[in-house]
Amino acid sequence: MTQPATAAQKQAPTSDAKSVGDQGSSRRLGLPWDVRTLSLLGVLAALVAVGGITAPDEFLATSNLQLVLTQASVIGVVTVGMTFVITSGGIDLSVGAMVALASVWATTVATQEFGFAGILFTAVIVGVGCGLVNGLLIAYGRMVPFIATLAMLASARGLALQITDGSTQVVSVDSVLDLGGRDAYVLGIPPLVLIFGAVTVIGWLLLNRTTFGRRTIAVGGNAEAARLAGIDVRRQRLYLYLLSGLCCGIAAFMLIVLAGSGQNTNGNLYELDAIAAAIIGGTLLSGGRGTIIGSVLGVLIFTTITNIFALNNLETAVQQIAKGAIIVAAVLVQRRSLHGDT
């Protein structure tokens, strides 16, 4: 005698059909995604032109271009991790605080006694540890990502302040300081830029060429359908926040190399910059769609804007207004694109 279908069995074909439909939709979106990337490249090219016109001697100098790329590298690594989290339908407001905590913990006198390896290991493990706490609270504690990461933001900032007692912790390990010097450049490329490039390539491959990436997109698109398809949604979310923490740990080490010190104010507003860069790059804040290349272009656009404003001695307030206008425009374009898809 045939058993009646369970609710899950009844929903499974629908979920499979939706999955197939999403794949077809993604193929149809090939051209729009290319257009979006080209548009971002066009905006970046326009900004370079503006910088070249308004401050030709300073902006186009090799040293300034190296500076722009170096400054983009730290927040860029954080943005790669943020892109994965947002693609899954989550959010991480604690990335800046995690960078601060990892940087000060890795630059304590006790840690510096272990040299280069000790600083690097501590920065990474602190970042991963914070990501683990976020992941456990969200995935298994069923806390809303906004609340869980907001709590981590406050806690990590407070702990960073307690460790430093408000003072700057200067790095005395020569091998770390040398990594930020010009002698460490490879064919004129700063080491931090190379690290950023490696993280970007790995992130792109992970999101676009692995089952981990497909599961991330599936969870962000429809968590219940992903669960019915056999994906362990809670474990996937835990992994994603671990990945975000790992990126924050790497960024903290890069910031230590760049600044030669650890401060509790490090990573200030990184969470807003990373979210903004991911959004203007084409990652949907509601989840289900993400692009590493777009996020990287978003970081470069914001960093270039900051550099142009600094070279032209323009007010920071105007710079923030310009960034806000770009974010609003990007969100409006996303909404129009979504309505066009449906």
Side-chain angles (χ1 to χ4, degrees):
M1 183 175 180
T2 305
Q3 296 293 329
T6 64
Q9 290 171 333
K10 289 179 180 179
Q11 293 179 26
T14 303
S15 301
D16 293 340
K18 179 176 177 59
S19 176
V20 173
D22 288 344
Q23 292 175 1
S25 176
S26 297
R27 286 193 291 269
R28 289 195 301 272
L29 285 172
L31 181 59
W33 277 110
D34 290 342
V35 169
R36 180 180 288 112
T37 302
L38 291 175
S39 298
L40 291 172
L41 287 172
V43 171
L44 184 58
L47 289 173
V48 171
V50 170
I53 294 172
T54 58
D57 296 333
E58 298 87 356
F59 181 80
L60 296 178
T62 301
S63 59
N64 184 64
L65 296 178
Q66 291 172 333
L67 175 63
V68 170
L69 291 176
T70 301
Q71 291 176 337
S73 297
V74 179
I75 184 62
V77 171
V78 175
T79 302
V80 170
M82 182 69 79
T83 300
F84 277 89
V85 172
I86 295 178
T87 301
S88 72
I91 198 73
D92 192 346
L93 300 179
S94 64
V95 291
M98 287 194 291
V99 169
L101 179 58
S103 69
V104 300
W105 207 322
T107 54
T108 59
V109 175
T111 303
Q112 292 192 50
E113 291 180 356
F114 294 94
F116 184 99
I119 293 176
L120 175 59
F121 175 79
T122 302
V124 170
I125 204 67
V126 170
V128 172
C130 292
L132 175 63
V133 173
N134 280 338
L136 290 174
L137 291 175
I138 293 167
Y140 295 95
R142 300 185 180 277
M143 288 186 67
V144 177
F146 182 90
I147 300 300
T149 58
L150 185 62
M152 176 58 72
L153 183 156
S155 301
R157 282 287 178 195
L159 184 55
L161 178 60
Q162 185 176 31
I163 291 175
T164 62
D165 196 23
S167 61
T168 299
Q169 297 180 163
V170 179
V171 176
S172 58
V173 180
D174 292 336
S175 55
V176 174
L177 298 175
D178 291 343
L179 194 60
R182 298 192 67 85
D183 292 339
Y185 286 16
V186 179
L187 299 177
I189 303 175
L192 299 188
V193 177
L194 296 176
I195 295 174
F196 176 36
V199 171
T200 298
V201 171
I202 294 172
W204 185 89
L205 292 173
L206 195 61
L207 184 61
N208 295 281
R209 293 291 185 267
T210 66
T211 56
F212 181 87
R214 289 191 289 272
R215 288 172 180 171
T216 300
I217 294 172
V219 169
N222 190 323
E224 180 61 19
R227 185 187 67 81
L228 293 173
I231 297 175
D232 190 331
V233 175
R234 292 188 298 178
R235 184 171 60 186
Q236 185 68 19
R237 285 174 174 159
L238 173 61
Y239 289 162
L240 289 166
Y241 282 95
L242 282 172
L243 178 61
S244 179
L246 172 62
C247 289
C248 288
I250 295 173
F253 177 76
M254 296 169 67
L255 198 56
I256 291 171
V257 172
L258 185 62
S261 63
Q263 304 178 54
N264 66 286
T265 56
N266 283 343
N268 187 35
L269 297 181
Y270 271 20
E271 56 277 356
L272 299 183
D273 289 342
I275 293 171
I279 290 174
I280 73 167
T283 299
L284 290 184
L285 193 56
S286 58
R289 187 182 300 170
T291 164
I292 297 296
I293 299 300
S295 295
V296 170
L297 290 174
V299 170
L300 292 176
I301 287 173
F302 279 144
T303 307
T304 303
I305 290 175
T306 301
N307 184 257
I308 292 174
F309 273 65
L311 291 177
N312 288 279
N313 296 318
L314 298 176
E315 295 181 3
T316 304
V318 179
Q319 173 187 325
Q320 298 301 328
I321 293 173
K323 286 185 177 182
I326 292 174
I327 295 171
V328 171
V331 172
L332 290 176
V333 170
Q334 281 190 359
R335 288 176 60 84
R336 184 174 181 179
S337 174
L338 285 175
H339 288 307
D341 296 343
T342 57

